[in-house]
Amino acid sequence: MIETIKQQIKQTLEAYYLTQYHLEIGIIVEEPKNPELGDISVPMFSVVKALRKPMPDIVKEAIQVLKTLDSVEDIQNVGAFINLKLLKTKLAEDVLKKVLLEEETYGSSTIGNGKRVTLDYSAPNIAKSFSVGHLRSTMIGNSINLILKKCGYETFSINYLGDWGTQFGKMIVAYKKWGNLEVIQKNPIQELTNLYVRFHEEAKENPSLDDEAREAFRKMELQDPEYLELWRWIREESLKESTQIYDLLGVTFDSYNGEAFYNDKMEGVVEELEYKGLLREDQGAQIVDLGEDVPPALIKRSDGGSLYITRDLAAVFYRKKEYQFDKILYVVGNEQKLHFTQLKRLITKMGYDFADQIEHVNFGLYLTNGKKMSTRSGRVVKLYDVLMKAIGLAYDLIDAKNPQLKDKEQTAKAVGIAAIVFGDLKNYRGLDAEFDIEQSVKFEGQTGPYLQYTGVRIASIIREKEIHLNQMDIEVFQKPHYFDLIKQIASFKTTLERSASEYAPSILAKYLLGLAQSFNKFYSIEKINAEEEALRNANFAIAKATRIVLNEGLRLLGISYVEEM
Ligand code: ARG
């Protein structure tokens, strides 16, 4: 609503100056921080500068132009600013009707129409335990994917499993030395993790184990049937842990083509590098120089083994062909910044022009008490257990608050997951974030459960109530606690568009917190189920619109709404 009018004001003034003075003047339209100044404010500095006329004349002229707009109720001038008050009643009515008509499709945008985005996220290294970093990648990537779709983009989500590389060589060596099939089959993830940890411990004493591991991986790359069989089995078993987590989070992917998928697609790329004269030998290995500012990329080990970047290079060409993306997003931690810089540089050096379509959607670490939260080494913090802990805490809270609730387990699951997901997504992804499970599960504060709880509160007020949209008391919409809320509801779409263009679910997350806060303020002032019918219709409409936006916003973060809690 406000956005449309802001646009209208901008265009009206710009068109006026163009026809009147043949000048292209960029007009800025803002929303003043202090609402007493009006709903919209237009600073006239740029016009003064362009027309070289005194400010009072400029303002007078502009006011004449703006008076013709029918959504404007009042125009005032303060200094260099023209402040406008909008005809709130009509605007509010239009917004509410639109939301209630469109329901969950409300907020959809067309900015992405005709554009394809490929997203690479989650990508756990499956011989190891699912790490906190991979959880972040999963949740951030999933939300970006949903938001992009809502904005009209065609998306493909890829789980580029880390299912190839020397870590599998290590697993195979460890398995052959110390593994016991029966023990492993009873508790595969745990036992395989133990083997992996043991490998690392023993390799500290005995570095030749690392050579053995490289040798084993080399055998895999040369398609040794016994080793490939072992690899396939370890991959299957390890994948079960990830699948558990995806099921819990409700995350799915369009493709699970991991690093191994590119085993037979690397040779072509290496040949192309060779043919283009980019490969150089360095101590038996093959490298590509990338310029003064970026270290060279190691493409082939001296034993002929491939590397992480070799596989990513093969993957990006394959994907370009397969998906014809306009953008490819890699949702990967900050620590791989150099890797993606190298990837882009390589592509450019090879003479392709799509490096700027590659976006490293980076994110920071999770900290607990200022320290990195880790799933590494012996004392494995199993991520699945962390999620289960959140669900358990949610269960206790629900049980204490509402012991009669049906489906307590189902609800606790939704609430516990909301706690973890929102606890992550409310932070701007690029920064390290402090994470506290107990705080995140609380029903108040900046939490996912707080948003769900606000939705539940609304649901209980409007359940089975009829709302007559043509019999609303629209005069009340002028009151600040109404209009604030309506303004927020109206800005859902632009919020989504911003989240989409910055690949930042935190923009949506913060918006939802603001929306919930405005609603709760409204709720504390107003008796929603009012005596008077027209007022009641207005109140119900605003409550229902809030709930629709809240639920849809949560869905786009990867959080499910609940009916009761
Ligand atoms: N498996 C990798 C890791 O955990 C992340 C992969 C990210 N995606 C990519 N195309 N490189 O470090």
Side-chain angles (χ1 to χ4, degrees):
M1 145 185 85
I2 302 271
E3 284 315 313
T4 331
I5 292 167
K6 276 161 82 178
Q7 213 49 37
Q8 200 186 4
I9 291 171
K10 181 177 161 68
Q11 281 159 7
T12 308
L13 283 176
E14 286 176 356
Y16 173 78
Y17 294 120
L18 192 63
T19 41
Q20 204 69 17
Y21 299 96
H22 308 288
L23 285 175
E24 276 188 36
I25 307 177
I27 298 293
I28 296 168
V29 181
E30 325 178 312
E31 288 172 53
K33 291 247 152 42
N34 176 1
E36 278 173 20
L37 291 173
D39 305 303
I40 283 175
S41 146
V42 191
M44 301 307 291
F45 302 110
S46 57
V47 185
V48 172
K49 208 169 147 206
L51 298 189
R52 298 168 191 280
K53 285 210 271 181
M55 184 66 82
D57 298 347
I58 297 281
V59 167
K60 217 158 127 202
E61 193 176 349
I63 288 179
Q64 287 309 320
V65 176
L66 292 172
K67 268 193 180 151
T68 58
L69 298 172
D70 58 3
S71 45
V72 173
E73 186 178 57
D74 181 48
I75 307 182
Q76 296 290 337
N77 162 233
V78 182
F81 292 84
I82 298 176
N83 297 328
L84 302 103
K85 278 212 165 62
L86 301 176
L87 200 56
K88 298 194 168 95
T89 49
K90 177 89 183 75
L91 285 172
E93 185 186 11
D94 290 350
V95 171
L96 294 180
K97 282 187 171 168
K98 186 171 161 70
V99 182
L100 268 59
L101 177 77
E102 295 182 356
E103 299 207 335
E104 71 278 357
T105 62
Y106 175 71
S108 302
S109 157
T110 53
I111 55 165
N113 281 11
K115 293 195 199 110
R116 291 185 162 193
V117 181
T118 300
L119 296 97
D120 176 318
Y121 58 93
S122 195
N125 298 323
I126 59 171
K128 304 180 188 170
S129 225
F130 200 101
S131 79
V132 180
H134 296 115
L135 180 68
R136 290 210 81 183
S137 172
T138 308
M139 297 188 296
I140 296 168
N142 180 52
S143 177
I144 295 176
N145 186 24
L146 295 169
I147 294 170
L148 289 177
K149 280 184 205 270
K150 177 97 180 174
C151 290
Y153 293 89
E154 185 181 1
T155 70
F156 299 94
S157 59
I158 302 175
N159 192 348
Y160 184 65
L161 296 171
D163 56 2
W164 204 245
T166 24
Q167 76 265 30
F168 283 91
K170 293 177 184 173
M171 286 303 287
I172 287 175
V173 171
Y175 173 75
K176 290 194 136 212
K177 285 195 190 307
W178 314 298
N180 175 331
L181 191 62
E182 263 167 47
V183 180
I184 297 178
Q185 267 163 349
K186 277 201 201 99
N187 194 355
I189 297 163
Q190 191 56 47
E191 284 308 318
L192 289 172
T193 311
N194 290 348
L195 278 179
Y196 196 71
V197 170
R198 176 154 177 201
F199 179 93
H200 277 273
E201 270 160 14
E202 303 230 0
K204 269 188 231 145
E205 310 290 304
N206 178 7
S208 74
L209 277 175
D210 282 322
D211 297 331
E212 280 184 55
R214 263 193 293 275
E215 185 57 28
F217 175 54
R218 192 65 201 129
K219 279 199 171 157
M220 281 165 54
E221 292 209 300
L222 296 171
Q223 310 287 320
D224 178 294
E226 184 204 342
Y227 279 49
L228 277 188
E229 193 46 45
L230 267 174
W231 164 76
R232 210 165 282 127
W233 173 69
I234 295 170
R235 183 184 188 276
E236 276 307 290
E237 290 303 334
S238 317
L239 206 50
K240 287 182 185 159
E241 185 196 14
S242 312
T243 310
Q244 266 184 335
I245 291 174
Y246 300 141
D247 287 349
L248 210 50
L249 295 174
V251 172
T252 55
F253 298 91
D254 298 319
S255 159
Y256 279 86
N257 285 343
E259 294 186 39
F261 179 77
Y262 296 96
N263 191 30
D264 61 359
K265 298 173 182 60
M266 282 181 286
E267 210 36 54
V269 182
V270 176
E271 273 165 21
E272 186 176 335
L273 287 168
E274 170 110 72
Y275 165 79
K276 292 185 169 163
L278 297 169
L279 276 187
R280 172 166 80 80
E281 202 189 301
D282 184 64
Q283 299 171 24
Q286 297 291 325
I287 67 172
V288 177
D289 288 310
L290 299 175
E292 294 282 286
D293 50 336
V294 181
L298 182 53
I299 299 292
K300 241 182 185 186
R301 286 186 212 282
S302 52
D303 66 3
S306 72
L307 289 112
Y308 182 48
I309 192 137
T310 328
R311 294 188 281 280
D312 252 329
L313 197 56
V316 79
F317 287 121
Y318 176 87
R319 291 164 177 179
K320 185 74 200 166
K321 229 168 114 195
E322 182 76 11
Y323 303 112
Q324 315 218 339
F325 55 74
D326 298 292
K327 262 278 175 238
I328 180 163
L329 310 181
Y330 292 88
V331 187
V332 185
N334 286 331
E335 65 284 355
Q336 292 193 26
K337 185 163 190 272
L338 175 61
H339 173 78
F340 289 103
T341 307
Q342 289 180 315
L343 186 64
K344 287 192 196 188
R345 198 55 80 83
L346 272 169
I347 292 169
T348 309
K349 281 222 126 188
M350 289 169 81
Y352 296 97
D353 62 0
F354 67 94
D356 57 354
Q357 296 177 344
I358 296 181
E359 193 92 32
H360 176 201
V361 178
N362 62 319
F363 58 82
L365 298 173
Y366 259 169
L367 306 173
T368 34
N369 304 320
K371 280 208 218 68
K372 180 174 172 182
M373 194 163 144
S374 163
T375 52
R376 268 235 162 158
S377 76
R379 299 150 283 105
V380 183
V381 190
K382 288 249 301 276
L383 214 48
Y384 187 74
D385 298 344
V386 173
L387 289 167
M388 282 305 170
K389 178 172 174 198
I391 293 172
L393 287 170
Y395 187 93
D396 295 343
L397 282 176
I398 292 166
D399 196 37
K401 246 195 156 85
N402 190 356
Q404 313 302 354
L405 182 72
K406 283 185 268 139
D407 275 347
K408 262 187 274 186
E409 260 114 61
Q410 245 347 74
T411 308
K413 196 178 131 192
V415 172
I417 287 172
I420 300 278
V421 175
F422 195 84
D424 183 317
L425 296 185
K426 72 174 180 186
N427 306 298
Y428 178 67
R429 59 178 165 74
L431 306 173
D432 292 346
E434 184 67 33
F435 197 79
D436 180 334
I437 298 188
E438 256 123 84
Q439 279 303 326
S440 306
V441 181
K442 294 216 166 115
F443 289 10
E444 61 280 324
Q446 306 200 338
T447 70
Y450 166 71
L451 297 178
Q452 288 173 317
Y453 190 66
T454 304
V456 163
R457 179 177 261 176
I458 301 173
S460 76
I461 302 169
I462 59 176
R463 191 166 295 132
E464 281 157 30
K465 297 284 195 312
E466 278 189 48
I467 308 175
H468 302 286
L469 289 177
N470 288 324
Q471 292 161 36
M472 294 192 288
D473 172 4
I474 63 171
E475 291 308 314
V476 292
F477 295 145
Q478 299 185 59
K479 298 185 184 173
H481 61 292
Y482 280 85
F483 199 66
D484 273 354
L485 190 50
I486 287 170
K487 264 211 290 204
Q488 299 212 34
I489 292 171
S491 63
F492 187 41
K493 181 169 141 189
T494 49
T495 304
L496 294 176
E497 289 170 347
R498 270 203 300 133
S499 297
S501 51
E502 294 180 37
Y503 312 119
S506 58
I507 295 176
L508 171 59
K510 294 216 170 79
Y511 163 84
L512 293 177
L513 283 174
L515 180 70
Q517 273 153 11
S518 295
F519 177 81
N520 286 320
K521 182 169 166 203
F522 173 76
Y523 177 84
S524 70
I525 299 175
E526 209 62 40
K527 180 172 180 238
I528 296 185
N529 194 357
E531 302 299 324
E532 209 274 304
E533 197 189 340
L535 178 59
R536 204 165 58 227
N537 278 324
N539 288 350
F540 284 165
I542 206 171
K544 186 160 185 196
T546 306
R547 165 117 170 134
I548 288 170
V549 172
L550 209 50
N551 286 356
E552 178 63 0
L554 286 173
R555 183 187 73 81
L556 295 171
L557 293 177
I559 297 174
S560 33
Y561 71 85
V562 288
E563 271 302 310
E564 276 183 90
M565 68 193 258

